């Protein structure tokens, strides 16, 4: 036994996930991928940690709610691992991020 939980998703849910992975937005696609995989945020965090990536539950929650998004190099590496854990195509979530947002610091300079 691998301890890996699997979940079967229906065709409609798969079609919706595919549409969201193609068009976004990032937070909605991430939420749909997490739901389709059937893993809780704590379990995702545990699996990321097993790959040497530390992400807080708050960060994962903020990413899926749209309050913030991965932008730092460490966060983008975590996102690559997250795509694998969620069984979505490589780069499918990353491409939805678009260009980095301007921070307040950059706007002041």
């Amino acid at each position: 036994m691998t301890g890996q939980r699997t979940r079967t998703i229906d065709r409609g849910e798969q079609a919706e996930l595919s549409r969201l992975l193609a068009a976004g937005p990032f937070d909605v696609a991430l939420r749909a991928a997490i739901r389709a995989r059937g893993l809780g945020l704590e379990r995702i965090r545990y699996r990321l940690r097993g790959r040497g990536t530390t992400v807080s539950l708050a960060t994962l929650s903020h990413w899926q709610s749209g309050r913030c998004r991965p932008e730092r190099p460490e966060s983008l590496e975590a996102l690559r691992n997250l795509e694998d854990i969620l069984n979505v195509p490589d780069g499918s979530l990353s491409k939805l991020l678009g260009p980095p947002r301007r921070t307040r610091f950059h706007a002041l300079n």
Side-chain angles (χ1 to χ4, degrees):
M1 174 179 246
T2 64
Q4 186 169 346
R5 182 176 166 197
T6 58
R7 179 177 180 274
T8 304
I9 61 175
D10 64 36
R11 287 185 186 165
E13 192 176 18
Q14 182 60 50
E16 177 67 5
L17 177 57
S18 295
R19 185 188 67 75
L20 288 169
L21 290 173
F26 170 77
D27 57 318
V28 178
L30 176 60
R31 205 167 36 252
I34 290 171
R35 185 175 42 249
R37 187 68 171 99
L39 296 172
L41 294 183
E42 182 63 51
R43 190 70 180 153
I44 290 169
R45 181 174 169 252
Y46 174 81
R47 289 185 179 194
L48 285 168
R49 195 173 354 152
R51 294 168 181 241
T53 303
T54 303
V55 178
S56 72
L57 287 176
T59 296
L60 290 170
S61 178
H62 289 168
W63 288 356
Q64 74 168 354
S65 70
R67 281 178 263 171
C68 68
R69 64 183 200 178
E71 292 184 333
R72 295 179 309 144
E74 309 84 45
S75 297
L76 295 174
E77 178 63 28
L79 183 58
R80 284 188 285 278
N81 284 317
L82 186 56
E83 289 170 338
D84 188 45
I85 291 166
L86 296 176
N87 291 333
V88 297
D90 291 344
S92 60
L93 290 169
S94 302
K95 73 175 183 180
L96 297 174
L97 293 174
R101 294 187 285 196
R102 290 179 54 111
T103 62
R104 185 169 184 251
F105 175 78
H106 287 104
L108 295 175
N109 289 326

